Amino acid sequence: MSQTIQTNVNVSGMTCGHCVSSVSEELEALAGVEDVAVDLNPGGISTVTITSTQQLSPSEIGEAVAEAGYLVVANEA
């Protein structure tokens, strides 16, 4: 079994299941992405966990999320 990489990103602006499916669909279209799990926080910052077989660049993740109409926000450490 190939090793998978989990990438967590915070996405603002998602409010419902339709938002989740839009974002998931765009991210699943990226090369190597096997699974997208969204912890929806309606109206706040939702956490998206992307499981992939290769490292994804922040810019390609950001572009995919933007394509769905949302914004990746920085982790508040």
Side-chain angles (χ1 to χ4, degrees):
M1 188 175 147
S2 64
Q3 188 178 357
T4 58
I5 300 165
Q6 284 202 322
T7 309
N8 290 319
V9 292
N10 292 328
V11 177
S12 72
M14 296 198 293
T15 56
C16 63
H18 177 74
C19 305
V20 170
S21 59
S22 299
V23 169
S24 298
E25 204 172 286
E26 291 295 339
L27 289 169
E28 284 164 2
L30 295 175
V33 173
E34 293 189 336
D35 186 55
V36 176
V38 178
D39 180 11
L40 182 65
N41 176 10
I45 306 299
S46 301
T47 304
V48 180
T49 303
I50 307 158
T51 303
S52 59
T53 54
Q54 62 195 45
Q55 190 69 48
L56 300 169
S57 76
S59 64
E60 66 184 335
I61 293 171
E63 283 169 26
V65 170
E67 191 70 33
Y70 304 97
L71 188 65
V72 171
V73 293
N75 291 331
E76 308 258 328

